[in-house]
Amino acid sequence: MKRKLLYASVAALMFFPAVAMAEETDADKVKTMDEVVVTATRTEKDVKKVPANVTVIMAEEIADSGASSLIEVLERQANIHVRTYSGNSSQAQIDLRGFGENGFGRTLVLLDGRRLNRLDMSSINWTQISLEQIERIEVVRGSGSVLYGDAAVAGVIHIMTKKGAKEPVYAGSVQIGEDSFYDLSVSAVGSTDRLFYSLYGANQKTDGWRDRTAFESYGGGFQIGYDFSDNLSMSGGATFNKTDFEMPGTLTSAELAQDRKQPQPGHTDDRQDNDYRKLNFILDGSLGNWGDIEVNIVYGNDQINFTKPSWWSFNDSDSDLFGVQPKYVLESNHGSFSNQFVTGVDVYRQKLTVDRYGEEARLNKTQNTEMEMNSVGWYVRDEISIGSNYILSGGFRIENAELQGRSVMADSTVVFDEEKDHSGEPYELSATWIPKSGMKFYAKYSTLYRYPFVDEQASYYGYGSDTFLIDLEAEEGKSLDFGFEIDFLENASLGVTLYQIDMEDEISWNGSTFRNENLDDTRHRGVEMFLQYGLEGVLDLMLNYTYQEATFEAGPQNGNEVPLVPNNLLAASIDFQLPYNISFIPSVQYVGDSYLSGDYDNNTDKLEDYTVVDLLLRYKRNVGKVEMSAFLKIANLFDEEYSTHGTDNEWYGGENTYYPSPGRKFFGGLSLRF
């Protein structure tokens, strides 16, 4: 059945373009995708000329979605697989292109060019980004190692904030819901002559749908800039966020049947407190015919207090990131040929300090660990356009990273004092064919890499196996994409992408040896499809479907599936535009079944598939200069009982455990812009 689906996808690749080319459609009748994206090439580029499957989510779409978190937007509108330990976004992990068990850390997440991926395996703090702050989200699927280096294995998600507007825009929104949920945000964006600015503040809190799932997040930030001339501008800004959440633990099948809302026995006081601070400075200048330059300087500090009495674990971590990213772009035209040359350097200095204590009061420090990674990566990408129909591009990157670690016990015993050098030398080649407006075919081949997290390279949390794994190597792989996008009929777009990623030395935890190890070769392949259709004033349809396979290609698990990779992912919605400025929007998300975490033998119960249906009723109206929007939402309309994560414990004689997700919930919200 799996093979048939892939063969059918190949047939679709050949059939749909033929149909589209045979049909005569006036250019003014075709829905043109004139969106400009930055992430795919690190320069502004028409999305229809990018050799990748790209999803762009604009601020208006986010506001109209009724979403209360960035994770919800990515899951529902970009069909990104999400796993969560608590049913809310405070502990969510994302997975692109079926890495499953090892999906964490294989997608690079950027905020205005700043890396949000941490040096260690702590999750990205998705709550630090207020939805009111976001101007657009670009999701670029496929390897981005050449342009972005470490972690850009399966794709890049770039979140871009609002910068300024000719006329000041002030906005505020409030959402309320069950379990004492509320979300408040305010923002202001504007410009005066050459000065531009934006600032925001946000606060979100809930008691949690399940015992021990409460969390609170609040923060704010600003960005201010000045255009000295048409050729030179500078800007800088800062953000801060504090997020505190509880950790409910897992439940067995019997405990789920008894009460899905109970915490794991013995996990009645597990929690985590987080503080995040970010600074950035950008210099943007033009040298006229000699090209453009940009220098992005970033700094981030994350402090996490991890309190887990159930594991006798009390740790405080302090993480610093400093980065300098100069970039140069030169564009030139030579008759029917044009060329775009991009080169730059990414310099990062990252340091993590972890203090481990013997008790919650943190009176007796038992261990101190310092991990540091310094990296320098130089990249080049060149793109040649031949007329208006053909684009050829290629690029490479040379990067070296030095990882150092030192861990010392309270009695001055040195646990480890080691260092490990890693390097990456990826390259990519791509071709894009644009036979006519509203149509794109592309192919891309690239190599990729990912450095180990510092807590993959070393163990330092006192579980009896603390050590520095000098033999653990960086992941490497090869990626191949084929795809097309066409605008057919009127106001309709279809896209299909076939991909295959062959990985070497993929890193995963081995529960038998109690250490991280490089796995045998794995293969990740699939087909991604999207369909968009709009009938003005009547409805808008959005459908995203992914079929994916992830298998071991060597070793004792040869032929087995990689755990936590569902074969089928579907996200769809229809926006029915009714009279009196009312919209009725049903949406559905389907996630197929998958093997439990750790089940490399594929011999225990599966994580069951699930279907979640949401209903949204939205009202929008302009009164003078005030834009008003209100909504009512029912999430998980049919009260589906499901889990996004589960663990195989039967291999050592235990019971399999699961993290249950929320049932039916009601929300409402109001936003004003003026």
Side-chain angles (χ1 to χ4, degrees):
M1 180 62 181
K2 297 175 181 178
R3 304 288 183 191
K4 290 180 179 179
L5 281 172
L6 287 176
Y7 294 153
S9 301
V10 174
L13 272 169
M14 296 184 293
F15 174 73
F16 282 111
V19 172
M21 292 186 70
E23 182 179 357
E24 293 293 333
T25 307
D26 294 335
D28 59 344
K29 292 184 179 180
V30 177
K31 178 188 176 184
T32 57
M33 300 280 290
D34 56 355
E35 295 169 319
V36 173
V37 295
V38 177
T39 311
T41 61
R42 281 185 96 151
T43 61
E44 290 190 353
K45 182 69 62 177
D46 184 342
V47 72
K48 278 298 185 182
K49 297 181 179 180
V50 172
N53 179 5
V54 181
T55 298
V56 180
I57 307 170
M58 301 302 295
E60 185 177 359
E61 297 174 83
I62 296 172
D64 290 346
S65 69
S68 58
S69 69
L70 176 56
I71 278 293
E72 187 179 345
V73 172
L74 294 174
E75 186 176 29
R76 305 297 190 191
Q77 295 185 245
N79 202 27
I80 294 175
H81 186 209
V82 172
R83 294 188 295 272
T84 176
Y85 302 115
S86 60
N88 59 55
S89 60
S90 60
Q91 293 176 276
Q93 295 183 359
I94 60 172
D95 183 14
L96 273 177
R97 295 201 160 175
F99 279 81
E101 176 97 306
N102 306 315
F104 179 60
R106 274 71 177 182
T107 300
L108 178 64
V109 182
L110 304 171
L111 176 63
D112 292 330
R114 308 190 306 250
R115 298 173 70 97
L116 294 184
N117 300 61
R118 284 173 50 91
L119 190 60
D120 63 356
M121 295 182 69
S122 296
S123 298
I124 291 172
N125 176 24
W126 299 100
T127 60
Q128 68 182 290
I129 308 163
S130 168
L131 295 184
E132 185 60 46
Q133 177 193 10
I134 298 173
E135 177 65 32
R136 60 194 283 121
I137 303 170
E138 297 179 2
V139 180
V140 181
R141 298 167 181 83
S143 170
S145 291
V146 167
L147 290 177
Y148 294 100
D150 183 33
V153 173
V156 180
I157 299 173
H158 197 170
I159 303 142
M160 303 177 188
T161 59
K162 298 173 181 176
K163 302 301 181 186
K166 292 182 179 180
E167 295 293 333
V169 177
Y170 306 97
S173 67
V174 57
Q175 292 188 27
I176 58 173
E178 292 186 87
D179 305 315
S180 301
F181 170 84
Y182 69 80
D183 183 300
L184 304 173
S185 65
V186 293
S187 66
V189 181
S191 64
T192 58
D193 194 17
R194 294 187 178 274
L195 179 72
F196 54 92
Y197 61 89
S198 67
L199 65 157
Y200 81 97
N203 179 213
Q204 186 177 114
K205 184 177 181 180
T206 180
D207 290 342
W209 73 277
R210 176 186 171 200
D211 290 346
R212 304 297 305 165
T213 57
F215 84 92
E216 181 176 13
S217 175
Y218 61 87
F222 71 89
Q223 192 82 9
I224 187 168
Y226 190 81
D227 294 324
F228 291 94
S229 68
D230 293 338
N231 297 322
L232 178 65
S233 67
M234 289 193 301
S235 64
T239 63
F240 77 93
N241 174 268
K242 181 174 177 58
T243 299
D244 304 329
F245 59 83
E246 299 173 335
M247 294 181 284
T250 62
L251 297 176
T252 65
S253 295
E255 290 166 341
L256 285 171
Q258 180 189 53
D259 182 7
R260 296 176 61 85
K261 294 186 176 183
Q262 65 177 310
Q264 181 179 352
H267 290 240
T268 56
D269 200 24
D270 295 347
R271 62 191 185 278
Q272 187 168 303
D273 303 329
N274 312 269
D275 287 278
Y276 303 87
R277 303 169 186 87
K278 311 289 184 185
L279 300 172
N280 76 294
F281 171 82
I282 300 174
L283 173 67
D284 198 349
S286 174
L287 304 175
N289 294 332
W290 295 96
D292 300 320
I293 58 171
E294 179 185 284
V295 180
N296 193 5
I297 302 174
V298 299
Y299 171 76
N301 174 259
D302 301 347
Q303 297 178 6
I304 297 178
N305 298 326
F306 183 83
T307 302
K308 199 164 188 178
S310 62
W311 284 6
W312 302 282
S313 185
F314 310 98
N315 309 308
D316 294 346
S317 72
D318 193 315
S319 175
D320 287 296
L321 177 148
F322 176 75
V324 180
Q325 301 166 285
K327 181 181 68 175
Y328 172 74
V329 180
L330 176 64
E331 297 187 8
S332 57
N333 293 291
H334 310 280
S336 61
F337 292 82
S338 62
N339 190 82
Q340 184 183 71
F341 175 79
V342 182
T343 186
V345 179
D346 295 326
V347 180
Y348 286 105
R349 297 288 183 264
Q350 302 179 73
K351 185 175 181 180
L352 173 70
T353 301
V354 179
D355 293 322
R356 186 161 60 87
Y357 297 87
E359 71 289 311
E360 184 175 343
R362 290 165 166 75
L363 300 176
N364 300 297
K365 186 186 297 185
T366 60
Q367 187 173 351
N368 170 262
T369 302
E370 292 187 354
M371 305 294 295
E372 185 173 344
M373 179 180 283
N374 300 319
S375 63
V376 179
W378 171 60
Y379 62 89
V380 172
R381 184 180 188 273
D382 193 66
E383 180 178 286
I384 301 173
S385 297
I386 306 172
S388 59
N389 302 109
Y390 302 96
I391 302 174
L392 302 176
S393 66
F396 65 89
R397 184 185 189 93
I398 299 174
E399 182 167 292
N400 293 293
E402 181 184 76
L403 195 159
Q404 300 174 333
R406 177 179 172 84
S407 187
V408 182
M409 303 298 292
D411 61 2
S412 299
T413 300
V414 177
V415 180
F416 59 78
D417 188 356
E418 301 279 359
E419 67 177 52
K420 174 80 173 182
D421 292 336
H422 293 291
S423 64
E425 297 181 356
Y427 65 90
E428 66 177 37
L429 298 169
S430 68
T432 306
W433 176 40
I434 307 172
K436 64 177 184 178
S437 177
M439 187 177 296
K440 173 182 76 172
F441 298 85
Y442 60 89
K444 178 182 177 182
Y445 175 80
S446 56
T447 60
L448 52 91
Y449 67 94
R450 184 188 76 89
Y451 301 141
F453 289 112
V454 293
D455 45 356
E456 288 179 319
Q457 192 83 66
S459 176
Y460 44 80
Y461 285 103
Y463 298 128
S465 58
D466 285 4
T467 185
F468 191 99
L469 303 175
I470 197 71
D471 60 338
L472 192 70
E473 301 295 339
E475 299 177 350
E476 295 183 346
K478 304 172 183 177
S479 177
L480 183 62
D481 284 43
F482 293 98
F484 73 84
E485 295 180 15
I486 57 174
D487 298 334
F488 67 100
L489 302 177
E490 186 176 352
N491 302 319
S493 298
L494 171 71
V496 177
T497 301
L498 296 175
Y499 70 86
Q500 180 169 299
I501 305 173
D502 289 318
M503 295 293 296
E504 300 175 6
D505 295 328
E506 200 169 330
I507 301 170
S508 184
W509 175 258
N510 187 330
S512 299
T513 60
F514 295 100
R515 54 164 286 170
N516 290 297
E517 297 178 354
N518 293 112
L519 297 174
D520 295 303
D521 294 350
T522 58
R523 172 168 288 174
H524 308 260
R525 61 182 175 180
V527 55
E528 300 162 338
M529 304 181 184
F530 76 82
L531 174 66
Q532 297 175 339
Y533 175 71
L535 189 58
E536 187 174 357
V538 179
L539 62 83
D540 288 304
L541 168 69
M542 180 278 292
L543 185 147
N544 283 287
Y545 170 72
T546 299
Y547 177 81
Q548 57 189 12
E549 297 179 352
T551 55
F552 292 97
E553 298 298 307
Q557 279 84 34
N558 188 12
N560 288 352
E561 294 187 33
V562 175
L564 293 179
V565 178
N567 293 137
N568 295 282
L569 298 171
L570 172 71
S573 67
I574 304 179
D575 187 335
F576 293 103
Q577 288 133 42
L578 307 177
Y580 306 107
N581 303 309
I582 296 174
S583 292
F584 175 67
I585 310 168
S587 62
V588 60
Q589 181 196 19
Y590 173 76
V591 176
D593 60 10
S594 61
Y595 289 99
L596 297 176
S597 175
D599 184 16
Y600 297 109
D601 295 326
N602 296 173
N603 62 0
T604 188
D605 295 335
K606 279 189 168 185
L607 193 64
E608 295 182 355
D609 64 337
Y610 57 89
T611 302
V612 176
V613 177
D614 296 342
L615 291 182
L616 178 71
L617 190 66
R618 187 183 65 233
Y619 174 76
K620 295 179 67 174
R621 184 181 180 186
N622 293 344
V623 181
K625 293 185 177 181
V626 178
E627 300 177 14
M628 183 184 71
S629 179
F631 76 88
L632 295 174
K633 180 177 179 180
I634 307 176
N636 195 356
L637 174 66
F638 299 109
D639 204 20
E640 176 89 342
E641 295 184 352
Y642 67 101
S643 298
T644 62
H645 193 289
T647 303
D648 172 20
N649 301 315
E650 290 184 351
W651 66 272
Y652 66 84
E655 293 186 73
N656 295 339
T657 52
Y658 307 86
Y659 290 93
S661 292
R664 181 169 50 242
K665 298 174 73 69
F666 295 85
F667 297 91
L670 173 68
S671 63
L672 300 174
R673 297 172 63 86
F674 54 93

